[in-house]
Amino acid sequence: MTLYETLQKVSSEEGIKDAYIKALGLKNVQKDLVDIRTKEIWFEAKDKPHSNYAMFTQLLHYVHAAYKAGEEIPPFLCVIDKSKAALMKTSEIKPLLDDKKIKWGKSASKFDQETLEQVSTYIGTHFVAFRIDTHEQEFIDTVTAAIKSGEIIRVQITPDNLKQVFDKWVNMIGREINGVNESDYALLFFADIMHDGKTSTHENLPAKLLHDGEKPIFVLNNQTYSLGNHEGYRQFWAIYHKPPKAEYRNYLLERRDSLIPIDERSFKGAYYTPLAVVDKAYDLLNETLGKNWQKNYIIWDMCCGVGNLEVKHSNPRNIFMSTLDQADIDVMKASKICVAAERFQYDYLNDDIDDQGNIDYLLTNKIPKTLQQAIADLKAGKEGAKKILVLINPPYAEAAHAENTSDGIKSESKIGVGKTKISHSMQGYGYASRELFVQFVVRIMQEIPNATLAMFSKLKYVNSPNFEKFRLDWNARYKGGFIVHSKAFDGLKGDFPIGFLIWDTNHHKMAIRTSIDEITFEILDKNALQIGEKTFKSLSNESLLSGWIIRVRSNNIDAIPLKNAISPTTSIKDVRGTKWANGAIGSMICKGSDMQNAQTQTALLSSGYCSAGGYFVTSENLWQAAIVFSVRRLIKPTWINDRDQFLQPTEILTDEFKNDCLIWMLFNGSNLTASANDLEWNDKKWSIVNHFIPFTEDQLGANERFESDFMVQYLADKTQSLEAQNVLDEGLKLWQKYFSQTDEYSVRDALKLNRADIGWYQMRKALEARNKVGVNINIDFSEFKKVYDLLAEKLRPQVFELGFMRV
């Protein structure tokens, strides 16, 4: 538990003291009713919020008395309460202790206003204040260093704490800057930290810091900005040291894109490529293109950010670097990144594209003439023309819905993804046109049809079924690549692979087609260390598991759409699952054919499904539904298999396999079939029926008739394997324990236990609730889990053996 969390739970001054003593690891503590003291620090503690000035005034009353008595006083003074702390060197206030004009009075807690003002005026520039909720570690580190060194040492700004320091700078300083946009905080932050109070460490930074007396003034785009309140600025720079050490400065500037607001970053693609990963990319380029590639190729990175992909290049005169933000260009100039390269602002998805989708450099005149000529020479096949390598880490934004493709309140973080000029020429690509990185590739196809492309990106374009139309049009020969964990990149959420793949492209009309059937690449972990090898296969949509089941059409019977076992949907837009189907006994949530969706988008329900890709389950397709359900949930997801596809089986499926999958589905946590009366939705009350109980009322000891005995009848003529029968036997015991007693009202109400034919989900949750109450003998799930896991271990390798997934 952190210090802050502990402080929120204590309710006395003694508790406050104990929490700080423990967090700071204080030794040889002298603690009494009024304060705590060590050889190094004298503390004043309060259990209720007080100003730092008031607490120091009270503490100094005791210090003054000890000073006059000739007692030894610790070198540091510290005041603490439940939310904040402040530290000061005792030597700084010695003149205050000698000042005979101050009337310390008889009681430390009953100082008068005049004394408070006298003390406050003097100590205001000498103490360092910390908010414990945001600066707990800085406080602990500062006190620890003070005890060790005898000095208050400000915290250094380093690559390791840059993001944390920036976030705290925004809260304490950035939000006090009047009239500035949040997207400009990073530029102002660097202007501030790269200034020693007199001069800046870098010339030509996009933003500047000036001073009006002691007051900071920021300048950006010829506009000046002042602070609404200066106290946060003083407190912040009492904690941190500036400027950063010389060896960190340029590197910190290169990390500007990691500080861009996350919504803006996802659109602009500002995901800093770690230098260890860049090293691996250059190693692969050396291996693939030859050791002299940096000399023999012209490089264009049209989304270069602050240029970290190019910092390893030994021949910058061959490099052209463009980026959406002029501020990135300014940062590169200030930090002297790739000085000899051609660096320019350019919106690659919009600039120089006319209304017919043609590329015309005269529209903006931004593209350097030398780059224009190199592109023209390569396109024309001119003798001696240099090859062009497009080296990019483009944006990963995706417009998944109509509301992400237009401006407005609901447009979230992807405004403009579907509105770029290049996207207008991609109508034939379907889903792929939503991806910004694919939009980059499409313009490259048109502009430099025989470029070599080395690109960091998601792997959808290699094997996703939604990109089949794109793959049919994109003519490229794979030369080599690796995948790296997404966690290597700042700001990316989730666990999935980012690929760095190298391609020779050829989009001349007469070029021979090269199909992408299978590619193999190295696997790097988040530290860029090689841990294996993987093969990706490009497969047609016809081979995907999603097309294996014949989907039953809905009828005109109304159904209640569910979002989980017993909860009606709360959606009001594009609501699915409002109709039933002839012969339906349930519905399956079954989105996509990839591992990415399988774990969160696979579930069996007793009413309408509220998910794309779902289908009705009937007695005819139940055996297939059970297999699809099991196959999708049996394989454990990893970041490496995240984009793997589930396929239709290539081998004969035995009855044993079919039955095993059915039993495994019936007792899986994502079997959300249930029964309930009086569910409310759309101003009506609804009932749902559970058709998936594999036991009779007599077997379970139920006191009421089940409305459906479908599953009992369905299983009657099925021969179960030993593993499946063991699951049935242990499952039966749990069902019987449920029916052996009645749950209290709160459980019955929460789980809708108002019918006898409840589902596996409801029964299991009810038993778990009984265990939490602890009134009766604890219900042991361990034996059931053991036999269920054995059935899973039996089925798991068959997913690959039968062709549902390919290694």
Side-chain angles (χ1 to χ4, degrees):
M1 187 180 296
T2 66
L3 170 59
Y4 181 74
E5 290 169 341
T6 303
L7 290 172
Q8 303 320 297
K9 293 185 176 183
V10 300
S11 57
S12 67
E13 195 170 294
E14 288 305 301
I16 300 287
K17 294 176 182 178
D18 290 339
Y20 277 95
I21 289 170
K22 181 178 179 181
L24 294 170
L26 299 178
K27 307 295 184 183
N28 302 317
V29 179
Q30 175 186 338
K31 185 171 68 167
D32 54 37
L33 292 176
V34 294
D35 50 29
I36 53 178
R37 222 186 304 189
T38 71
K39 183 176 65 174
E40 299 87 6
I41 306 180
W42 193 337
F43 292 86
E44 171 66 24
K46 294 292 183 184
D47 61 339
K48 292 182 175 59
H50 286 67
S51 76
N52 289 327
Y53 295 96
M55 287 192 287
F56 268 123
T57 300
Q58 185 168 339
L59 175 57
L60 287 172
H61 176 94
Y62 301 123
V63 173
H64 178 262
Y67 177 66
K68 290 301 182 184
E71 297 177 14
E72 184 177 355
I73 300 173
F76 294 98
L77 306 176
C78 188
V79 294
I80 53 179
D81 65 18
K82 292 187 72 166
S83 62
K84 62 185 181 299
L87 182 69
M88 181 168 57
K89 288 185 71 173
T90 307
S91 60
E92 300 283 4
I93 51 89
K94 188 175 182 299
L96 194 64
L97 301 178
D98 290 327
D99 191 342
K100 296 181 180 180
K101 295 179 182 179
I102 298 178
K103 300 174 183 178
W104 292 103
K106 296 181 179 180
S107 171
S109 60
K110 294 182 179 179
F111 49 81
D112 58 27
Q113 186 63 30
E114 182 181 359
T115 303
L116 175 61
E117 290 177 359
Q118 288 174 308
V119 172
S120 299
T121 301
Y122 187 85
I123 69 172
T125 58
H126 294 303
F127 69 81
V128 183
F130 303 84
R131 279 182 52 184
I132 301 302
D133 61 337
T134 60
H135 285 79
E136 174 178 324
Q137 194 57 52
E138 286 88 345
F139 167 69
I140 293 172
D141 291 345
T142 300
V143 172
T144 304
I147 291 173
K148 185 176 181 180
S149 68
E151 296 291 336
I152 296 178
I153 301 173
R154 290 186 175 93
V155 177
Q156 288 283 342
I157 302 173
T158 70
D160 291 333
N161 68 5
L162 175 66
K163 184 63 170 67
Q164 291 89 341
V165 173
F166 172 72
D167 289 342
K168 292 166 184 176
W169 182 92
V170 168
N171 287 327
M172 298 177 71
I173 299 175
R175 301 199 191 285
E176 291 291 344
I177 303 176
N178 297 318
V180 74
N181 293 323
E182 184 178 347
S183 59
D184 291 325
Y185 282 159
L187 297 177
L188 300 173
F189 169 73
F190 282 118
D192 198 1
I193 71 170
M194 296 298 178
H195 201 285
D196 64 5
K198 295 182 180 179
T199 59
S200 176
T201 60
H202 291 72
E203 296 180 1
N204 302 318
L205 282 173
K208 297 183 183 302
L209 176 67
L210 305 175
H211 289 86
D212 179 9
E214 294 185 357
K215 295 180 180 179
I217 302 292
F218 291 93
V219 180
L220 178 64
N221 298 327
N222 296 319
Q223 295 281 333
T224 59
Y225 300 93
S226 59
L227 295 175
N229 183 291
H230 294 83
E231 182 60 20
Y233 193 88
R234 187 198 71 76
Q235 290 183 10
F236 184 89
W237 288 118
I239 297 172
Y240 296 102
H241 176 82
K242 71 171 184 174
K245 291 182 178 179
E247 63 262 35
Y248 294 147
R249 293 171 190 170
N250 285 345
Y251 181 78
L252 293 175
L253 283 170
E254 292 169 22
R255 300 302 305 273
R256 171 188 171 258
D257 43 17
S258 71
L259 306 182
I260 297 173
I262 198 71
D263 55 349
E264 184 182 351
R265 196 190 320 173
S266 66
F267 177 70
K268 294 178 178 178
Y271 293 108
Y272 181 85
T273 315
L275 294 182
V277 177
V278 176
D279 281 336
K280 292 293 184 180
Y282 272 67
D283 290 344
L284 184 62
L285 287 165
N286 287 336
E287 179 184 328
T288 305
L289 305 182
K291 293 183 178 180
N292 293 322
W293 71 271
Q294 298 185 46
K295 177 181 178 182
N296 297 333
Y297 282 80
I298 287 175
I299 314 299
W300 187 9
D301 181 351
M302 57 278 294
C303 38
C304 67
V306 292
N308 61 307
L309 263 183
E310 284 70 41
V311 294
K312 300 289 184 178
H313 202 286
S314 62
N315 190 11
R317 289 187 176 275
N318 275 0
I319 301 176
F320 295 87
M321 303 166 67
S322 59
T323 183
L324 188 64
D325 285 341
Q326 179 61 41
D328 287 335
I329 303 299
D330 295 338
V331 167
M332 284 192 285
K333 290 179 178 177
S335 54
K336 299 181 180 178
I337 298 170
C338 298
V339 176
E342 288 269 14
R343 302 167 297 189
F344 56 102
Q345 185 279 326
Y346 196 70
D347 182 350
Y348 192 69
L349 301 184
N350 292 293
D351 283 350
D352 290 336
I353 302 173
D354 66 20
D355 293 338
Q356 288 71 46
N358 301 310
I359 297 171
D360 181 359
Y361 296 139
L362 295 177
L363 292 175
T364 68
N365 287 312
K366 291 181 179 180
I367 299 286
K369 299 297 183 185
T370 49
L371 179 56
Q372 292 183 36
Q373 189 61 52
I375 292 172
D377 290 347
L378 184 63
K379 243 174 152 179
K382 186 176 179 180
E383 186 176 350
K386 273 198 170 185
K387 298 177 182 179
I388 296 178
L389 170 68
V390 175
L391 177 63
I392 53 172
N393 181 7
Y396 301 151
E398 167 196 339
H401 305 287
E403 59 193 35
N404 284 343
T405 63
S406 60
D407 295 338
I409 295 174
K410 294 183 178 180
S411 55
E412 299 173 354
S413 63
K414 299 165 184 177
I415 294 173
V417 175
K419 297 179 67 176
T420 63
K421 288 187 176 180
I422 194 65
S423 69
H424 297 159
S425 62
M426 296 174 62
Q427 281 77 12
Y429 291 137
Y431 183 93
S433 63
R434 300 174 178 178
E435 295 278 356
L436 278 183
F437 81 88
V438 175
Q439 293 183 19
F440 273 82
V441 173
V442 168
R443 173 161 173 179
I444 293 165
M445 288 166 56
Q446 299 171 9
E447 186 170 20
I448 320 172
N450 48 349
T452 298
L453 174 65
M455 178 172 67
F456 285 96
S457 70
K458 295 180 180 179
L459 296 170
K460 297 179 180 181
Y461 74 113
V462 174
N463 74 335
S464 171
N466 288 322
F467 287 71
E468 187 171 11
K469 292 180 181 178
F470 167 77
R471 286 194 294 271
L472 290 173
D473 197 36
W474 192 53
N475 190 22
R477 182 169 62 88
Y478 177 66
K479 296 180 71 68
F482 59 75
I483 58 171
V484 62
H485 198 303
S486 59
K487 289 193 182 299
F489 295 77
D490 287 346
L492 284 180
K493 297 179 180 179
D495 293 284
F496 56 89
I498 294 295
F500 178 73
L501 309 184
I502 304 173
W503 306 88
D504 270 343
T505 69
N506 191 341
H507 292 97
H508 289 300
K509 290 184 179 179
M510 304 303 293
I512 299 173
R513 292 281 320 158
T514 302
S515 61
I516 304 171
D517 298 320
E518 183 177 298
I519 61 174
T520 301
F521 35 66
E522 296 177 355
I523 303 172
L524 308 182
D525 65 14
K526 63 183 179 181
N527 298 313
L529 299 176
Q530 185 175 351
I531 58 174
E533 190 177 85
K534 184 171 177 61
T535 298
F536 266 34
K537 301 177 189 294
S538 176
L539 302 159
S540 67
N541 288 354
E542 287 74 22
S543 66
L544 298 175
L545 185 59
S546 57
W548 189 50
I549 290 182
I550 298 175
R551 295 168 187 263
V552 181
R553 299 178 68 86
S554 60
N555 56 27
N556 292 322
I557 299 175
D558 290 335
I560 177 173
L562 300 173
K563 64 179 180 181
N564 60 30
I566 50 177
S567 299
T569 182
T570 53
S571 299
I572 57 174
K573 183 179 180 182
D574 191 27
V575 178
R576 305 168 187 264
T578 60
K579 297 296 181 181
W580 206 229
N582 295 339
I585 56 173
S587 65
M588 182 81 80
I589 296 175
C590 190
K591 183 181 177 182
S593 287
D594 54 353
M595 179 63 75
Q596 178 189 11
N597 283 300
Q599 292 299 306
T600 58
Q601 299 292 330
T602 305
L604 185 64
L605 299 172
S606 283
S607 190
Y609 54 89
C610 290
S611 170
Y615 56 85
F616 294 107
V617 179
T618 68
S619 59
E620 286 74 25
N621 70 10
L622 175 59
W623 69 274
Q624 287 179 296
I627 290 171
V628 171
F629 179 101
S630 300
V631 163
R632 286 169 62 91
R633 295 208 55 91
L634 276 162
I635 304 304
K636 296 178 180 179
T638 68
W639 74 270
I640 296 172
N641 69 17
D642 184 72
R643 296 306 193 253
D644 287 359
Q645 303 289 322
F646 292 101
L647 306 170
Q648 296 181 23
T650 56
E651 306 297 325
I652 296 173
L653 307 180
T654 65
D655 288 341
E656 182 173 322
F657 175 75
K658 296 175 184 178
N659 294 335
D660 282 351
C661 285
L662 176 59
I663 301 303
W664 196 83
M665 177 182 73
L666 291 178
F667 292 92
N668 187 270
S670 289
N671 170 13
L672 302 182
T673 54
S675 73
N677 290 331
D678 299 327
L679 295 180
E680 295 183 2
W681 179 75
N682 202 23
D683 298 325
K684 289 174 60 178
K685 288 190 175 182
W686 304 75
S687 293
I688 55 175
V689 179
N690 179 18
H691 296 279
F692 290 83
I693 303 177
F695 309 111
T696 68
E697 295 92 334
D698 290 339
Q699 285 177 292
L700 299 182
N703 55 7
E704 291 182 24
R705 181 178 181 270
F706 298 160
E707 187 166 336
S708 170
D709 67 346
F710 169 83
M711 191 54 63
V712 171
Q713 298 301 326
Y714 188 84
L715 292 173
D717 62 349
K718 306 287 190 297
T719 301
Q720 301 299 335
S721 68
L722 175 63
E723 293 86 356
Q725 188 60 53
N726 287 339
V727 172
L728 279 166
D729 292 344
E730 292 300 324
L732 174 61
K733 294 176 185 177
L734 293 176
W735 280 94
Q736 289 170 336
K737 288 178 181 178
Y738 167 78
F739 281 104
S740 68
Q741 70 181 78
T742 301
D743 291 287
E744 60 184 42
Y745 173 78
S746 62
V747 175
R748 299 200 313 272
D749 182 58
L751 296 173
K752 308 301 182 200
L753 304 178
N754 49 30
R755 295 170 57 110
D757 51 349
I758 65 164
W760 168 250
Y761 166 84
Q762 292 165 294
M763 184 275 289
R764 181 167 45 85
K765 292 296 182 183
L767 295 183
E768 291 172 356
R770 291 180 197 175
N771 281 347
K772 288 181 180 178
V773 172
V775 174
N776 299 302
I777 298 174
N778 194 66
I779 298 164
D780 187 3
F781 287 83
S782 61
E783 193 58 33
F784 167 80
K785 186 178 184 304
K786 176 181 176 182
V787 297
Y788 187 76
D789 288 346
L790 287 173
L791 179 58
E793 289 176 17
K794 175 187 177 183
L795 286 170
R796 197 165 285 121
Q798 296 181 66
V799 174
F800 298 94
E801 293 166 4
L802 298 173
F804 290 104
M805 292 194 83
R806 299 180 190 173
V807 180

